[in-house]
């Protein structure tokens, strides 16, 4: 096996919170040397603690979610000395990651034009809330509200919208920038030139609306919230409670799967009922079918039901807590081992595997502020 594919790549991370640091950890997991350059107060997520966390560390659970494998250095870019140090570092760097509000990078002399003038091979990734022309700062929850996600995430029509419990738009924005950085590295290998890469939470959110956006664009009808149900597939996404209290979800995507579901539930007549025999019919008679399923599933023990569905290749699963999900054997390879300095596991950002390079067996832990 060869070394990690980004071994020798030098990354300067000026970004904070989640989206940019997620990209930094991704690059570190693939072998890059990532130096996190922090303002004197440090990344704000160093102070984002849950009530269960100790108050004597600059590495919070939130901070640790995106900062494994990095070194930390304090750099005050409001001073001439700090700017000079950044320019010296950027002159030999491969990638710079930033998340400044438009105009702030120029004030701090940390913008692409300034740094690329000294290093034409530099790849500069910039994350903003609404694009380079908007002065607004970007916050995940606000963008969830403004781009339709919260509206769709309500328990049902007429009920209050809810934000998702993960800063999902930050994570999706990080994926957009990861893709852009990898393309820029490919282009630089061919041309020798670096790139300015601009990614916004707003555009990343819209790109991620997928079938919900297409529904509006094709039909002119605004998609409405359905709780965890699916607008065009039934039964798909609704949570049921079995006789033993197991919470479970069905994801029946075809008529054949629905017939198998009916067989497992000892209700074969549902499969030939004109209201339910095809997916369009099931969508049209959603409420009637959901009521029948809810009553029948409440009579059946959950564990045995899930096993029977799996044997017939009917997509279904138990609703797990985060802890239960991470305790599954299949989740172990996605976890980074604890270290002496940070005696807690971490979560990998790299979820793919390659025959050409190994997975990083371990990473340095999230650094304390100014820990090299």
């Amino acid at each position: 096996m060869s070394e990690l594919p980004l071994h020798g790549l030098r990354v300067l991370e000026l970004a904070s919170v989640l989206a940019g640091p997620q990209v930094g950890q991704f690059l570190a997991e693939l072998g890059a040397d990532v130096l996190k350059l922090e303002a004197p107060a440090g990344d704000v997520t160093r102070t984002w603690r849950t009530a269960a966390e100790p108050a004597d560390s600059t590495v919070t659970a939130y901070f640790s979610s995106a900062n494994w494998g990095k070194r930390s250095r304090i750099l005050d870019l409001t001073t001439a000395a700090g700017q000079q140090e950044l320019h010296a570092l950027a002159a030999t760097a491969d990638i710079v990651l930033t998340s400044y509000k438009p105009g702030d990078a120029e004030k701090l002399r940390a913008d692409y034009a300034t740094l690329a003038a000294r290093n034409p091979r530099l790849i500069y990734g910039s994350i903003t809330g609404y694009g380079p022309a908007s002065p607004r700062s970007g916050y995940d929850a606000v963008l969830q509200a403004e781009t339709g996600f919260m509206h769709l995430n309500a328990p049902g029509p007429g009920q209050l919208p809810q934000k998702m419990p993960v800063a999902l738009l930050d994570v999706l924005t990080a994926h957009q920038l990861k893709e852009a950085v990898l393309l820029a590295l490919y282009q630089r290998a061919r041309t020798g030139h670096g790139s300015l890469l601009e990614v916004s939470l707003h555009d990343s959110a819209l790109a991620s609306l997928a079938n919900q956006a297409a529904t509006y664009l094709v039909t002119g009808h605004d998609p409405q919230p359905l709780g965890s149900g699916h607008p065009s597939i039934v039964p798909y996404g609704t949570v049921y409670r079995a006789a033993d209290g197991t919470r479970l979800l069905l994801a029946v995507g075809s008529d054949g799967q629905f017939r198998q579901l009916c067989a497992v539930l000892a209700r074969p007549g549902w499969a030939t009922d004109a209201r339910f025999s095809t997916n369009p019919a099931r969508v049209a008679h959603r409420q009637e079918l959901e009521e029948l399923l809810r009553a029948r599933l409440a009579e059946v023990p959950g564990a045995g039901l899930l096993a029977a569905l799996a044997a017939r290749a009917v997509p279904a699963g138990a609703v797990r807590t985060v802890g239960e999900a991470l305790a599954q054997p299949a989740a172990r390879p996605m976890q980074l081992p604890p270290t002496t300095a940070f005696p807690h596991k971490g979560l990998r950002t790299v979820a793919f595997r390659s025959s050409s390079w190994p997975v990083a067996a371990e990473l340095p832990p999230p650094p304390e502020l100014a820990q090299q």
Side-chain angles (χ1 to χ4, degrees):
M1 281 239 181
S2 62
E3 63 188 10
L4 292 170
L6 300 186
H7 176 76
L9 207 69
R10 300 186 61 200
V11 180
L12 302 179
E13 184 185 293
L14 292 164
S16 60
V17 189
L18 187 59
Q22 277 263 315
V23 180
Q25 180 175 321
F26 171 83
L27 298 173
E29 287 180 48
L30 293 173
D33 175 19
V34 181
L35 177 60
K36 187 176 183 71
L37 299 173
E38 303 185 64
D43 190 313
V44 67
T45 62
R46 291 186 181 276
T47 67
W48 291 2
R49 292 183 180 84
T50 63
E53 294 180 62
D56 58 352
S57 172
T58 62
V59 178
T60 61
Y62 198 112
F63 180 82
S64 75
S65 72
N67 287 288
W68 282 77
K70 305 174 187 178
R71 297 177 291 125
S72 169
R73 184 182 301 181
I74 292 175
L75 198 63
D76 187 352
L77 292 180
T78 65
T79 68
Q83 293 172 8
Q84 290 173 3
E85 184 175 353
L86 171 63
H87 296 167
L89 289 168
T92 57
D94 294 287
I95 299 169
V96 169
L97 304 172
T98 70
S99 56
Y100 293 117
K101 186 172 67 174
D104 285 357
E106 288 77 8
K107 294 175 185 175
L108 299 171
R109 299 184 66 223
D111 56 293
Y112 173 69
T114 299
L115 301 184
R118 296 165 174 79
N119 180 2
R121 289 176 52 82
L122 186 68
I123 294 168
Y124 185 104
S126 170
I127 295 173
T128 59
Y130 299 87
S134 172
R136 296 180 68 189
S137 297
Y139 293 90
D140 183 277
V142 177
L143 268 299
Q144 285 192 37
E146 293 181 340
T147 58
F149 280 83
M150 283 184 64
H151 168 73
L152 292 171
N153 201 39
Q159 300 192 48
L160 284 177
Q162 299 182 35
K163 78 173 184 66
M164 288 167 286
V166 173
L168 186 60
L169 301 189
D170 274 1
V171 175
L172 294 170
T173 301
H175 282 303
Q176 291 283 348
L177 185 52
K178 291 173 193 175
E179 294 161 5
V181 165
L182 296 178
L183 284 170
L185 286 170
Y186 174 72
Q187 182 186 49
R188 191 179 72 173
R190 300 172 65 195
T191 68
H193 299 298
S195 305
L196 168 63
L197 310 172
E198 296 175 319
V199 179
S200 73
L201 272 72
H202 177 267
D203 289 357
S204 300
L206 293 181
S208 303
L209 281 171
N211 61 297
Q212 299 286 8
T215 294
Y216 175 76
L217 294 171
V218 171
T219 69
H221 296 295
D222 223 334
Q224 296 303 306
L226 293 170
S228 65
H230 195 288
S232 51
I233 314 173
V234 178
Y236 194 106
T238 302
V239 177
Y240 307 94
R241 190 175 292 274
D244 56 3
T246 300
R247 298 175 300 169
L248 58 93
L249 177 146
L250 301 173
V252 175
S254 72
D255 296 338
Q257 290 172 353
F258 182 70
R259 288 192 292 272
Q260 293 297 327
L261 169 66
C262 295
V264 169
L265 294 177
R267 295 294 186 271
W270 292 354
T272 57
D273 189 315
R275 297 172 299 169
F276 312 137
S277 59
T278 67
N279 183 66
R282 293 192 293 276
V283 172
H285 296 90
R286 177 190 304 271
Q287 185 173 348
E288 298 153 77
L289 178 57
E290 294 285 22
E291 289 175 359
L292 290 170
L293 286 168
R294 191 171 290 108
R296 177 57 181 145
L297 290 167
E299 301 171 344
V300 183
L305 173 62
L306 288 171
L309 292 173
R312 291 177 177 255
V314 178
V319 178
R320 295 173 178 149
T321 67
V322 173
E324 289 168 347
L326 291 173
Q328 299 299 308
R332 290 171 191 159
M334 284 300 297
Q335 297 177 51
L336 293 161
T339 70
T340 302
F342 189 70
H344 310 284
K345 293 180 180 179
L347 190 65
R348 298 180 186 274
T349 64
V350 176
F352 54 82
R353 303 291 181 262
S354 171
S355 62
S356 300
W357 64 78
V359 174
E362 57 185 35
L363 283 180
E368 297 283 351
L369 185 59
Q371 179 184 348
Q372 290 285 331

